[in-house]
Amino acid sequence: QYHALVKELREAETSSPKILQGTITVYATSVYMISIMPNTIKNFKLQQQNINILLHTLSVKAILAKIAAAKTNDAVGFIGIPDHERESIFTLLKEGNLQFYPLFRSNMCFCASHSSPLADQGKQSLATISKYPIILFTSSQDGEENDFSAYTDFLKECHITLSTSSYNIWLDAVMQNTGIGMLYDVVLSSNSYLAKDLDKIAIISTREKISATMGYVTTASPSELVLSFIAFFNQYNRL
């Protein structure tokens, strides 16, 4: 009975998360905020009620600058590194003495109103999509570089009819056929915040791929609080 009780207690300790207390700062680009970050934080808080989270939505370069300049190791940034920007982003990581940990690959997808001529027509070329007005969901509207400004080869051929950091405004504009929305396909996951609204819009896949490596950035020695959030993030999203 004694050994059975010890075994039961040890199993309970390993299955129950360690209770931590403190504050962490989470930076995330818009693609995370419209997809898996909201539900991840909601469920993390159910498990770790004594950890406070300060959440900021910024562009990739702004996130790197914030973490590099911070005087604490209680910050983590979730970013996407486009393939063609890999070299320049890794230069910034090295200069800031930051660590990047890749999680998964994601491709750009486009979405439109069900009344759009592109809806339900199969894969489209980027040349075809560029003929339609584009709606951007950006990380901020304070003059910083937005998430999609790096895609100059594609966007310079497009007419950007709306750029907003408001999810509701972005979704309504797509539904009203104001233009074609740009998103990474991580928004299609089951844990995505957008999942509840996917039936309201049509997803358009493309023949050519615009891809990025999604992952997170920390200082060289992240705190126990940050590590606990990262572990939960990976487990919850099964990454």
Side-chain angles (χ1 to χ4, degrees):
Q1 290 178 340
Y2 166 77
H3 289 295
L5 179 59
V6 170
K7 180 181 179 182
E8 182 181 344
L9 290 173
R10 285 176 176 170
E11 289 177 349
E13 288 178 355
T14 56
S15 61
S16 300
K18 181 179 179 181
I19 302 302
L20 300 171
Q21 186 173 359
T23 300
I24 61 174
T25 301
V26 177
Y27 298 103
T29 58
S30 60
V31 66
Y32 284 98
M33 292 307 302
I34 203 175
S35 59
I36 56 181
M37 190 59 72
N39 287 332
T40 299
I41 290 179
K42 174 184 175 181
N43 285 277
F44 176 75
K45 286 292 295 178
L46 293 176
Q47 186 182 97
Q48 296 284 2
Q49 299 180 13
N50 295 322
I51 296 182
N52 301 315
I53 296 179
L54 303 178
L55 181 62
H56 302 275
T57 309
L58 297 170
S59 66
V60 173
K61 293 180 180 179
I63 289 174
L64 299 185
K66 289 284 187 182
I67 297 179
K71 304 297 183 181
T72 175
N73 59 355
D74 285 330
V76 58
F78 290 84
I79 67 173
I81 302 180
D83 289 347
H84 61 279
E85 279 208 309
R86 184 176 179 85
E87 185 175 344
S88 61
I89 295 298
F90 270 81
T91 297
L92 294 176
L93 288 166
K94 184 176 181 180
E95 292 174 351
N97 193 28
L98 303 175
Q99 302 293 319
F100 174 73
Y101 301 89
L103 294 173
F104 58 92
R105 295 277 293 169
S106 190
N107 297 318
M108 189 69 70
C109 67
F110 299 84
C111 47
S113 165
H114 287 295
S115 62
S116 170
L118 294 180
D120 304 318
Q121 287 193 12
K123 288 187 177 181
Q124 300 291 325
S125 68
L126 292 177
T128 297
I129 292 176
S130 66
K131 297 176 182 178
Y132 291 80
I134 297 295
I135 303 171
L136 296 182
F137 185 72
T138 63
S139 291
S140 62
Q141 293 183 317
D142 57 1
E144 292 185 85
E145 178 186 16
N146 65 54
D147 300 329
F148 299 107
S149 62
Y151 296 106
T152 52
D153 289 342
F154 172 70
L155 289 180
K156 70 182 180 182
E157 305 296 333
C158 303
H159 168 60
I160 300 176
T161 187
L162 176 65
S163 177
T164 178
S165 59
S166 167
Y167 169 71
N168 291 328
I169 292 176
W170 177 89
L171 179 63
D172 185 66
V174 174
M175 291 173 58
Q176 297 300 322
N177 207 16
T178 303
I180 306 298
M182 286 180 66
L183 291 172
Y184 281 109
D185 58 12
V186 63
V187 302
L188 307 180
S189 69
S190 59
N191 288 338
S192 174
Y193 184 76
L194 180 61
K196 60 183 175 56
D197 295 318
L198 284 178
D199 60 333
K200 300 176 182 178
I201 55 179
I203 303 299
I204 305 168
S205 58
T206 59
R207 298 189 183 97
E208 307 95 328
K209 298 297 183 183
I210 301 178
S211 304
T213 299
M214 315 302 289
Y216 63 91
V217 176
T218 68
T219 59
S221 301
S223 70
E224 187 177 13
L225 298 178
V226 168
L227 292 176
S228 70
F229 181 77
I230 292 170
F232 180 87
F233 183 96
N234 289 335
Q235 181 183 27
Y236 179 73
N237 295 293
R238 293 182 174 87
L239 298 178

